[in-house]
């Protein structure tokens, strides 16, 4: 299937005339449509809530759109909780799915009345001492082993640092209910970018069974089963993004089979999707500024791995459209590279693309989740701006590009170069 940018060259040129490349561009209409599709897919469960994983796209303007679509948020740090607060999320609208949590993080999350997702049995006393035990709490499960669906291995929970074993989670629930906790949720994130549509239903079956067991053996109340994130998107043109309506219907089948049968028809299902919700609806827009011809053909662009590190970090494929040449033959082979003094700073390696001329605008697809947010400042490279393309075709800058003074903000220059402090 051909991957098409959500924006055309005329609109891009209009944006670029106000805001120079590189920048991340987000598509309001696409984000809203996907949030609606997720909510529709689970509308059979009256208490369903998608807690958008803030780390995927931590911009308050994006979080505000999602709030308007009825989503909550999933946070794991104080600044993420602050973002949630700034946008107006409170209490049950916030999951705090942290791990290796600091005392002040638990205290902050408890003050906001966020739902605590406890990563380990040893955190019971720690949370009791720092913030206090809540009336309802979520427990994070790690089933161990490999996660196999048919012949496909989708993940290795036994290598993951998260969650508790089955016996620990039952023991934690027993201890917590003795200490006054009234109701429990269970949570697991067992795969990442799972484009296999059976991932979510499989995770649901595992968690529904655990919840039923907790209810039956300990007599505890269950308020939520949180399927967390991990539903994938099609980064490659030949891949397919799972149909969320189908996924929701398959989760419903497991809900009927396990939870309704166990006498738990009122449990709320929750998700913490990040990538699925915003991933395809953001792109990195960059300009070709250099070409070099050595052992390979290189196109140097004005963005680098600081703006999108998934290719450098995971060797991840991100589709590239050369704007104005969408239907041109892909008769050149390029490495499309950024400016870091690191040879893994390559947005594309040996990629067939149309002939690229200097000044061409390149759209790097599927950067809307774990894109800007993973950025860093290696080599003193400054992070790009973020622009939101509104549903009506207008656009606004929702985060300015970094300036040198942002890079220097944590230094005290008074001894070295007072003139930089101006
Ligand atoms: C990262 C993360 C998510 C979101 O993952 P996606 O792959 O973006 O869906 C959800 N929940 C938790 C606890 C996470 O760490």
């Amino acid at each position: 299937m051909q991957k098409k940018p959500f924006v055309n060259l005329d609109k891009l040129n209009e944006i670029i005339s106000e805001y120079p490349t590189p920048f991340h561009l987000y598509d309001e209409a696409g984000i809203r449509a996907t949030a609606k599709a997720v909510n529709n897919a689970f509308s059979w469960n009256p208490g369903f809530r998608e807690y958008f994983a803030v780390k995927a796209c931590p911009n308050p303007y994006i979080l505000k759109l999602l709030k308007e679509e009825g989503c909550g948020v999933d946070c794991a740090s104080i600044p993420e909780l602050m973002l949630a607060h700034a946008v107006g999320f409170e209490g049950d609208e916030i999951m705090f799915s942290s791990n290796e949590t600091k005392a002040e993080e638990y205290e902050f999350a408890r003050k906001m009345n966020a739902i605590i997702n406890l990563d380990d049995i040893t955190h019971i006393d720690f949370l009791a001492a720092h913030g206090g035990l809540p009336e309802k709490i979520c427990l994070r499960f790690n089933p161990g082993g490999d996660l196999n669906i048919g012949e496909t291995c989708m993940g290795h929970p036994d290598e993951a640092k998260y969650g508790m074993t089955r016996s620990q989670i039952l023991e934690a629930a027993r201890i917590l209910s003795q200490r006054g906790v009234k109701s429990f949720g269970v949570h697991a994130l067992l795969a990442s970018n799972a484009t296999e549509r059976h991932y979510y239903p499989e995770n649901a079956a595992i968690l529904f069974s655990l919840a039923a067991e907790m209810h039956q053996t300990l007599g505890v109340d269950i308020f939520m089963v949180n399927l967390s994130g991990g539903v994938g998107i099609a980064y490659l043109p030949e891949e397919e993004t799972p149909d969320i309506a189908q996924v929701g219907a398959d989760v419903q089948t497991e809900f009927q089979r396990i939870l309704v049968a166990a006498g738990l028809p009122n449990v709320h299902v929750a998700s913490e999707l990040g990538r699925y919700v915003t991933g395809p609806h953001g792109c990195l827009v960059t300009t070709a500024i250099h070409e070099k011809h050595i052992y390979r053909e290189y196109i140097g662009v004005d963005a680098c791995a600081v703006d999108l590190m998934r290719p450098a970090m995971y060797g991840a494929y991100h589709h590239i459209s050369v704007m104005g040449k969408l239907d041109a033959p892909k008769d050149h082979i390029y490495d499309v590279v950024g400016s870091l003094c690191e040879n893994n700073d390559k947005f594309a390696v040996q990629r067939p693309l149309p002939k690229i001329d200097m000044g061409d605008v390149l759209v790097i697809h599927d950067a809307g989740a774990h894109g800007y947010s993973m950025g860093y400042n290696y080599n003193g490279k400054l992070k790009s701006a973020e622009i939101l393309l509104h549903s009506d075709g207008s656009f606004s800058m929702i985060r300015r590009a970094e300036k040198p003074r942002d890079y220097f903000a944590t230094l005290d220059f008074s001894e070295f170069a007072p003139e930089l402090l101006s």
Side-chain angles (χ1 to χ4, degrees):
M1 209 178 74
Q2 206 199 348
K3 265 175 108 68
K4 283 223 159 110
F6 59 78
V7 61
N8 64 32
L9 183 57
D10 285 346
K11 179 57 72 179
L12 270 183
N13 281 333
E14 207 185 309
I15 300 171
I16 291 168
S17 68
E18 266 186 67
Y19 305 111
T21 61
F23 53 78
H24 282 268
L25 183 67
Y26 301 100
D27 175 26
E28 174 181 351
I31 292 172
R32 284 193 189 276
T34 300
K36 284 191 170 78
V38 170
N39 284 328
N40 278 336
F42 291 91
S43 57
W44 53 266
N45 184 262
F48 173 78
R49 183 177 274 141
E50 149 68 1
Y51 292 91
F52 177 70
V54 171
K55 74 169 191 263
C57 193
N59 187 300
Y61 294 89
I62 303 292
L63 299 182
K64 184 164 162 275
L65 301 182
L66 293 170
K67 186 165 201 312
E68 287 165 8
E69 296 300 334
C71 298
V73 278
D74 164 39
C75 303
S77 66
I78 290 175
E80 286 185 354
L81 287 167
M82 288 172 163
L83 267 176
H85 175 74
V87 177
F89 292 100
E90 53 185 58
D92 279 6
E93 296 168 338
I94 307 169
M95 282 296 305
F96 191 61
S97 293
S98 61
N99 67 96
E100 312 317 327
T101 314
K102 293 179 187 167
E104 61 264 35
E105 292 176 322
Y106 273 140
E107 282 158 10
F108 201 97
R110 287 289 291 122
K111 249 188 232 136
M112 288 184 70
N113 240 330
I115 300 174
I116 303 290
N117 188 20
L118 206 68
D119 186 63
D120 194 55
I121 190 167
T122 59
H123 286 218
I124 294 174
D125 284 334
F126 191 79
L127 176 61
H130 304 287
L133 297 177
E135 284 214 336
K136 56 184 190 183
I137 198 165
C138 186
L139 303 176
R140 188 163 181 170
F141 181 44
N142 182 332
D146 290 336
L147 182 69
N148 293 311
I149 293 176
E151 299 285 287
T152 324
C153 179
M154 312 205 26
H156 304 279
D158 59 352
E159 294 173 6
K161 65 174 175 168
Y162 312 106
M164 299 175 234
T165 67
R166 185 170 217 95
S167 59
Q168 286 173 337
I169 214 166
L170 291 165
E171 179 66 3
R174 195 187 59 76
I175 295 169
L176 284 163
S177 59
Q178 273 175 3
R179 293 177 69 167
V181 174
K182 299 227 161 38
S183 191
F184 292 85
V186 287
H187 168 285
L189 174 54
L190 306 179
S192 179
N193 192 32
T195 49
E196 158 64 66
R197 78 172 167 95
H198 297 292
Y199 165 62
Y200 234 35
E202 179 72 23
N203 191 21
I206 291 169
L207 287 173
F208 292 159
S209 302
L210 176 66
E213 184 182 350
M214 280 166 67
H215 178 65
Q216 280 154 6
T217 61
L218 302 168
V220 296
D221 184 56
I222 305 288
F223 73 97
M224 175 180 71
V225 172
N226 187 334
L227 308 178
S228 190
V231 176
I233 59 170
Y235 287 98
L236 290 152
E238 61 269 25
E239 272 178 323
E240 257 183 75
T241 295
D243 170 10
I244 201 71
Q246 181 67 55
V247 169
D250 291 346
V251 170
Q252 182 180 18
T253 303
E254 299 300 329
F255 187 91
Q256 295 288 344
R257 184 173 72 81
I258 303 167
L259 279 187
V260 175
L264 291 169
N266 298 319
V267 171
H268 295 179
V269 173
S271 59
E272 294 173 343
L273 300 172
R275 189 187 317 270
Y276 190 87
V277 173
T278 55
H281 309 303
C283 60
L284 175 59
V285 181
T286 185
T287 303
I289 56 171
H290 290 291
E291 58 187 315
K292 66 184 288 187
H293 321 280
I294 48 171
Y295 309 101
R296 290 181 178 182
E297 293 294 297
Y298 289 94
I299 296 295
V301 296
D302 60 2
C304 68
V306 159
D307 303 299
L308 177 66
M309 75 184 295
R310 297 187 72 261
M313 189 162 169
Y314 309 120
Y317 180 94
H318 278 261
H319 197 68
I320 295 179
S321 292
V322 183
M323 297 308 287
K325 301 180 179 175
L326 295 185
D327 297 317
K330 297 181 172 170
D331 51 5
H332 285 61
I333 304 283
Y334 291 116
D335 281 16
V336 177
V337 303
S339 57
L340 288 188
C341 304
E342 264 278 13
N343 198 42
N344 65 359
D345 185 9
K346 297 188 173 190
F347 292 117
V349 176
Q350 296 293 284
R351 178 88 53 95
L353 287 167
K355 179 173 189 310
I356 296 176
D357 296 295
M358 295 305 88
D360 277 353
V361 174
L362 274 55
V363 162
I364 304 180
H365 290 242
D366 301 312
H370 313 295
Y372 180 92
S373 58
M374 277 178 104
Y376 58 128
N377 282 120
Y378 198 46
N379 255 177
K381 297 291 177 180
L382 304 174
K383 294 171 73 182
S384 69
E386 296 185 294
I387 315 274
L388 179 59
L389 179 60
H390 299 286
S391 303
D392 66 2
S394 64
F395 53 90
S396 47
M397 184 165 69
I398 56 173
R399 189 194 304 264
R400 66 163 170 80
E402 283 182 340
K403 299 177 178 184
R405 68 171 142 87
D406 299 311
Y407 180 73
F408 297 135
T410 48
L411 289 172
D412 181 356
F413 266 133
S414 52
E415 275 186 52
F416 300 98
E419 73 279 8
L420 284 180
L421 291 175
S422 60

